[in-house]
Amino acid sequence: MTSADEYRKESRARWGEQAKGWSARAEEVGRATMPVSVWLVDALELQAGQEVLELAAGTGEVGFLAAEQIAPGGTLISSDFSPEMLTAAQKRAEQMGISNVRFRQIDAEGIDQPAASLDGVLCRWGYMLMADGEAALRETRRVLKPGARVALAAWTSPSENVWASLPVGELVERGHLERPDPDAPGQFAWARPGTIEEHLDAAGFGERVVETVDFAIRYPSVDGWIAGTRDLASRFRAAFDGLPAAERDDVVAAIREKALPHVQEDGSVILPARTWVAAATA
């Protein structure tokens, strides 16, 4: 079994490796996931002049929406534990002309920020990937001002997110990837109904709301879907690229077959996605 420290080290290396793909696809990911980003930012009820922290920011698009709402006079702290991801977010901010943002390398399980100093915290699809997501929530509550809010997202079940689970599941079924440990951190670790509420309560948050947001992820083709998965998921890429050519072709054929319900007349693929979204008051 991987220890928490080993997991943290492996996770940081993996996200550093994935940063290039996420940076290249930042615009399309941001466009597809906009309904989630809007929900999270709206949930914070931000005002001009406030200071907001985004944890596990990746390429930063959620926080950049918040940066617009806290201007003038407000500051976004865009953070990630991967320096490569921070660099990607910094480039994105420059391209978008966002200037009221500071970039900091922060591990969410130990936030280097004074207590009761922030007006809001954002974390889209981050807590469930952390070695101790509950510890990160406790830290989040510590740095929030009394009455300020956290807004977070965590994926619902694999069956409701075939865009991610189908390609990976095909490799798992064929023995090319290990089956995920349901008790370990991971994409679907907080999928079970009630899990987010349990973690928020344990971290000491007060009033909370938990909802779902449905959206769609579009690719120009099944091949485009597989290419996107390779860019965003280094474990899939390593396993897929390491297969003999004939087995790789078989995997692609199997994904094509299972994708048929989602393939449109023009060959494009529209894949359903569902996520939990939540907000809670410190």
Side-chain angles (χ1 to χ4, degrees):
M1 181 178 288
T2 304
S3 73
D5 286 341
E6 288 171 335
Y7 173 81
R8 291 182 184 100
K9 184 177 179 180
E10 184 272 337
S11 181
R12 184 170 297 184
R14 181 160 39 85
W15 281 103
E17 185 183 344
Q18 291 172 170
K20 183 178 179 181
W22 280 84
S23 181
R25 293 186 177 267
E27 189 170 337
E28 65 186 77
V29 170
R31 187 166 55 245
T33 59
M34 184 61 71
V36 183
S37 302
V38 168
W39 193 100
L40 295 176
V41 173
D42 284 352
L44 292 187
E45 301 177 349
L46 298 172
Q47 304 290 328
Q50 292 184 327
E51 188 168 26
V52 175
L53 168 66
E54 183 177 16
L55 295 169
T59 53
E61 59 264 14
V62 185
F64 297 158
L65 279 180
E68 296 175 13
Q69 296 197 6
I70 57 178
T75 302
L76 166 70
I77 303 169
S78 183
S79 77
D80 203 287
F81 77 155
S82 162
E84 294 88 349
M85 277 294 191
L86 271 184
T87 298
Q90 205 159 0
K91 289 179 180 176
R92 188 104 176 103
E94 290 168 3
Q95 291 168 355
M96 297 172 70
I98 296 170
S99 57
N100 62 328
V101 55
R102 292 188 288 123
F103 294 91
R104 291 184 55 199
Q105 186 174 353
I106 291 176
D107 186 332
E109 294 178 55
I111 302 173
D112 182 16
Q113 183 74 21
S117 62
L118 296 172
D119 299 293
V121 172
L122 293 160
C123 186
R124 187 191 64 180
W125 303 316
Y127 289 117
M128 77 275 179
L129 300 176
M130 297 171 189
D132 190 341
E134 201 168 283
L137 277 175
R138 287 195 297 271
E139 275 291 275
T140 298
R141 182 173 173 270
R142 181 186 66 80
V143 300
L144 283 168
K145 295 175 181 177
R149 305 181 98 194
V150 60
L152 65 98
W155 294 107
T156 63
S157 68
S159 63
E160 294 172 315
N161 289 285
V162 295
W163 63 273
S165 62
L166 196 157
V168 170
E170 190 61 35
L171 293 185
V172 170
E173 286 176 23
R174 291 166 178 260
H176 303 310
L177 274 176
E178 286 188 26
R179 191 170 298 279
D181 178 351
D183 297 321
Q187 181 175 8
F188 300 111
W190 288 21
R192 180 179 58 80
T195 300
I196 292 173
E197 291 91 334
E198 291 168 8
H199 288 309
L200 287 170
D201 290 349
F205 281 93
E207 181 185 353
R208 52 175 163 74
V209 57
V210 181
E211 298 178 0
T212 56
V213 172
D214 291 288
F215 60 103
I217 298 176
R218 294 170 170 83
Y219 286 105
S221 63
V222 174
D223 287 347
W225 176 17
I226 294 171
T229 306
R230 285 184 70 262
D231 283 347
L232 302 178
S234 59
R235 283 175 177 161
F236 175 88
R237 181 175 66 247
F240 181 79
D241 291 0
L243 297 176
E247 175 66 2
R248 202 160 53 238
D249 289 344
D250 284 349
V251 169
V252 171
I255 293 173
R256 284 188 197 283
E257 181 71 24
K258 293 177 180 178
L260 283 175
H262 309 291
V263 177
Q264 310 303 299
E265 288 186 6
D266 63 358
S268 64
V269 185
I270 300 180
L271 301 157
R274 173 172 284 186
T275 184
W276 297 110
V277 288
T281 304

